[in-house]
Amino acid sequence: MTTGPTAGAESGGIDRRTLLKTVGGSALAIALAGCTELLEGEQESLENADVPDEPIESGLQTFTEGAPAVLGVQARYGAETAVRRINENGGIAGRNMNLDVVEEGGAHLTNYQQFVDEGKDVTFGPISSSGHAEMVPEIEAQEVINVSTDGTVTTLYEEDFPDVTYSFRFQNHDVMEALAAVMQAVEVLGADSIDTYAGINPGYAFGQDEMDLFSKGIEQVAGAEELHSGFPDLGTDDMSTHITEINSEQPDIVFSSCWGGDATLLLEQGHANGMFDSIELLVGPVLYGSANDMSEDLVDGPIYSGSRNFYWGEPSTDRWSPAADLVDEVQSEYGVVPTAHFMSGYGAVTAWATAAEKAVQLLGRWPEQDELATVLENHGFFTPAGYHTMGADHQGYSNAHFGELTWSDEYDAAALADVNVFSAESVSPPPGEVSADWIGNW
C-alpha cells in the first residue's frame, strides 16, 4: 500500500529526466543518489569556482558501544559510506571530505564543542533526542552547522526551537513514525476492531513523545482506550514488569518505540513470557533498526515494524537499482543489512554535501556557514532511499515505511514483508503547524 504521492517510488524508482532535473545535473548529487550510471555526459564544471584546496573536516557523534550501538554503528557505516562515495567522485566542488567519529555517550555538548574547537566545517549527529535538544542552543551560538542524524522529538523544532539557523535534522520526526504506526495498525486490524491499546517505550524524551503522539492518533481514528503505558529506562535489562501488566490487561495493540538493544530485549522477554498470545498486534516504529541483532525466532508473531525513511526492499531492489547496489556494497564492506539508521548517517552527510555543492554553483565560491544554512532550507536531494527534502522548519521529510517483521533466508537477517509506504504529507502536518493540534483534525 502507498498513501499519497511518494516521490522516488515510481516505476524504476525515478526516471532519468526527473532525477537529473532535481539534482541539477550535479555529478556529486547523482553519485550520492546511487545513480552513477547517469554520470556520463552530465557533469557540470566547477573548475572556475573559488574553492579552498584543503579537505573538508567533519565530525560525527553516534553510539559506538553498548546496547545503543546496535543502532548507532549503522549510522556510522552510513556516514562513512557517503563520505567514501563523495571522495571517489571528486569531492564536493573538488574538495575531499574527512570524517572523525566519536562515541556519543552522554557527552553531546562536549563532543560538539570539541568539533568546533578543532575547526570542523560541519558536524553530524547525535542519535539521542535529549542530546540533540541540549545541543541546539550551542549550535546556534557557535554558528557551525550541525545536521542531526536522529534526535527526532517532534516538539524540538515545532515548539522548543522554532526559529533556528544552523541546526538541522535529517531523519523523519516522531509524529511521522507514530502516525505511520497508527495507519499500519488500522490496516491490519481495522479501526472498528481496535478498542484498547498499551505502550512500552524508552523512559526519556523520545519514548514519551512517540507514545503521546501514537495515543493521540489511535484515539482519534479508533476511539481506543489506553490500558497501560510503561517507560523502562534506556538500556534496561528487565522489562518483565511491563510485560506482566500487558498480559494482565490484554490490549488489542501494544505500541513500542524501543530501539537498539532494548528492542531486542522486548522481543526476547515478550516471547519468553507469552506476550504475543495476549495481544493482537505489536507495532514498533524502530524495531527494524535492530535487524542485525535479531534471531529468526524473535520475529515470529503479530509484529509490525517501521523502518523510518528507508527500507532496502521498497521499492523492490530489482526495480530500484540504487537500493540494490547499496545493499550489496554495505554487505560487502560491513557484513550487515543496512537499516534506516544506516540512512540516518548517509542522509545527513548527503543533505549537507549536496547543499554545499549547490551553494558553490550559485555563488561561484565556497559558502559561509550562514549562506550554506540558507541553501539547506527547502533543499531537495536523492539518496538510494529515494527523494528527501529539508524543510524551511529544518525538519527532514521523507516517505515512512512500515511492514510485517519476518525473516529473510537470502540475507540471513530480519526483513519486512508487505511494506506500506506513507508519504510525508500523510503523516506530518505542514511546516508551521503543531503536530498535536493537527492530529485533532487528522
Side-chain angles (χ1 to χ4, degrees), residues 25-99:
S26 161
L28 174 68
I30 294 172
L32 285 168
C35 302
T36 51
E37 69 272 19
L38 296 181
L39 287 174
E40 185 178 356
E42 301 290 352
Q43 295 193 47
E44 289 188 359
S45 174
L46 292 166
E47 293 178 355
N48 295 325
D50 183 11
V51 176
D53 293 331
E54 63 266 24
I56 296 159
E57 301 296 338
S58 66
L60 165 71
Q61 56 174 315
T62 187
F63 291 111
T64 61
E65 56 191 43
V70 173
L71 186 153
V73 169
Q74 283 266 340
R76 174 178 187 164
Y77 292 162
E80 290 176 342
T81 300
V83 169
R84 185 166 60 248
R85 287 185 170 187
I86 287 168
N87 293 336
E88 289 175 350
N89 287 277
I92 303 171
R95 297 182 68 184
N96 276 5
M97 189 172 189
N98 295 326
L99 177 71

Side-chain angles (χ1 to χ4, degrees), residues 352-400:
W352 183 86
T354 52
E357 189 156 280
K358 182 190 292 183
V360 173
Q361 290 174 326
L362 291 170
L363 299 170
R365 58 172 171 78
W366 192 260
E368 301 293 335
Q369 290 280 345
D370 60 335
E371 294 170 330
L372 181 45
T374 299
V375 174
L376 260 169
E377 292 183 349
N378 293 314
H379 175 54
F381 57 97
F382 278 93
T383 73
Y387 187 66
H388 315 264
T389 57
M390 186 68 72
D393 56 0
H394 292 217
Q395 312 254 41
Y397 292 92
S398 315
N399 292 335

Side-chain angles (χ1 to χ4, degrees), residues 41-183:
E42 301 290 352
Q43 295 193 47
E44 289 188 359
S45 174
L46 292 166
E47 293 178 355
N48 295 325
D50 183 11
V51 176
D53 293 331
E54 63 266 24
I56 296 159
E57 301 296 338
S58 66
L60 165 71
Q61 56 174 315
T62 187
F63 291 111
T64 61
E65 56 191 43
V70 173
L71 186 153
V73 169
Q74 283 266 340
R76 174 178 187 164
Y77 292 162
E80 290 176 342
T81 300
V83 169
R84 185 166 60 248
R85 287 185 170 187
I86 287 168
N87 293 336
E88 289 175 350
N89 287 277
I92 303 171
R95 297 182 68 184
N96 276 5
M97 189 172 189
N98 295 326
L99 177 71
D100 289 339
V101 181
V102 299
E103 162 61 24
E104 181 173 330
H108 310 95
L109 199 55
T110 301
N111 288 337
Y112 175 77
Q113 290 170 331
Q114 177 182 328
F115 284 152
V116 172
D117 291 344
E118 292 171 350
K120 296 286 192 280
D121 298 287
V122 59
T123 67
F124 304 104
I127 299 286
S128 165
S129 293
S130 300
H132 190 196
E134 182 183 12
M135 287 169 57
V136 171
E138 187 65 18
I139 294 167
E140 294 302 298
Q142 293 289 349
E143 301 182 350
V144 175
I145 291 173
N146 181 82
V147 183
S148 176
T149 54
D150 297 272
T152 55
V153 166
T154 300
T155 53
L156 184 75
Y157 292 126
E158 285 188 353
E159 300 177 35
D160 299 336
F161 304 103
D163 186 22
V164 292
T165 300
Y166 301 96
S167 178
F168 295 85
R169 172 170 57 203
F170 167 72
Q171 188 55 264
N172 288 351
H173 46 301
D174 291 349
V175 67
M176 304 172 75
E177 299 185 340
L179 295 188
V182 171
M183 296 174 74

Side-chain angles (χ1 to χ4, degrees), residues 205-358:
F206 167 72
Q208 293 160 358
D209 189 48
E210 292 243 345
M211 184 62 194
D212 179 59
L213 291 162
F214 178 81
S215 297
K216 286 182 169 61
I218 201 68
E219 291 176 13
Q220 175 71 18
V221 301
E225 176 189 2
E226 180 183 293
L227 299 182
H228 174 73
S229 183
F231 295 95
D233 292 339
L234 189 66
T236 184
D237 60 2
D238 185 8
M239 296 187 185
S240 60
T241 299
H242 303 288
I243 291 170
T244 298
E245 189 69 21
I246 296 293
N247 287 340
S248 174
E249 296 289 348
Q250 298 192 345
D252 295 322
I253 301 171
V254 171
F255 172 80
S256 178
S257 57
C258 285
W259 56 274
D262 287 357
T264 310
L265 182 68
L266 173 67
L267 297 182
E268 289 175 346
Q269 296 195 344
H271 279 291
N273 291 282
M275 183 178 78
F276 296 103
D277 295 327
S278 301
I279 64 175
E280 297 294 326
L281 184 67
L282 169 66
V283 285
V286 285
L287 292 176
Y288 192 70
S290 304
N292 293 287
D293 197 40
M294 294 178 185
S295 54
E296 186 172 359
D297 58 318
L298 292 185
V299 306
D300 184 35
I303 307 168
Y304 281 71
S305 175
S307 190
R308 293 199 152 174
N309 60 7
F310 170 60
Y311 179 65
W312 50 268
E314 180 58 43
S316 62
T317 51
D318 59 343
R319 294 173 53 229
W320 178 231
S321 60
D325 294 344
L326 186 70
V327 172
D328 291 343
E329 180 178 342
V330 173
Q331 286 205 305
S332 174
E333 183 72 22
Y334 302 109
V336 299
V337 171
T339 69
H341 300 94
F342 177 96
M343 190 51 61
S344 292
Y346 189 99
V349 172
T350 302
W352 183 86
T354 52
E357 189 156 280
K358 182 190 292 183

